[in-house]
Amino acid sequence: ISIGVSLSQSNPQASNPKDVSFFGSMLFSRRVSGTRVVALGTSKEVCGIKFENYGSHSDNYPYSYFTAACAIGITRDEIDLVIQRIDSTLTEYRQVTKTNQEPLKSLATENTEETTEAESHEESRS
């Protein structure tokens, strides 16, 4: 299972590469792995070759976006948990960027105390 979601279209403030990168760190700190965030307008040079919109499949893609992929063997409960975390993180991200606030470090390092059934199951398998 794989998804791709535009960050720019629903939130014009999301064109700032630093803010888009911050969204990626928000996902990671909420234990959402398997995502890749691509910030519009980011360029990188590798061995003398310049890549526009680095990380994207096209130099001309018009939006910042993120992709998420799941591993084989993921359960329905785990998928629901990932979607719930992505949804709540997107909501927080939109609130921070909509008000033009500097992304708060506390948002990126916030640790959720709730343990879901899927997390409990994962911990018991370890």
Side-chain angles (χ1 to χ4, degrees):
I1 299 173
S2 193
I3 62 170
V5 178
S6 169
L7 293 171
S8 302
Q9 194 160 353
S10 63
N11 186 357
Q13 299 296 332
S15 59
N16 181 344
K18 188 175 181 181
D19 287 347
V20 174
S21 179
F22 176 70
F23 174 71
S25 70
M26 289 175 73
L27 288 171
F28 182 79
S29 69
R30 285 157 180 78
R31 296 179 286 173
V32 177
S33 59
T35 61
R36 183 172 57 94
V37 177
V38 178
L40 179 66
T42 319
S43 63
K44 188 169 188 169
E45 190 169 321
V46 178
C47 296
I49 300 170
K50 189 172 183 178
F51 295 91
E52 297 296 332
N53 290 332
Y54 183 75
S56 180
H57 296 287
S58 168
D59 288 350
N60 301 316
Y61 196 75
Y63 306 112
S64 296
Y65 66 92
F66 79 94
T67 61
C70 303
I72 293 175
I74 192 168
T75 66
R76 174 69 186 233
D77 287 342
E78 291 167 329
I79 291 171
D80 291 343
L81 176 62
V82 167
I83 296 300
Q84 178 184 12
R85 287 182 181 174
I86 289 172
D87 184 49
S88 65
T89 305
L90 269 171
T91 299
E92 285 182 64
Y93 170 72
R94 286 182 181 134
Q95 289 171 348
V96 170
T97 57
K98 187 187 298 183
T99 59
N100 289 324
Q101 296 175 7
E102 185 67 26
L104 303 174
K105 186 175 182 181
S106 62
L107 278 178
T109 58
E110 181 180 282
N111 190 2
T112 179
E113 305 250 338
E114 296 177 22
T115 302
T116 64
E117 188 175 317
E119 289 174 309
S120 297
H121 178 69
E122 182 62 34
E123 289 170 4
S124 67
R125 292 193 319 193
S126 302

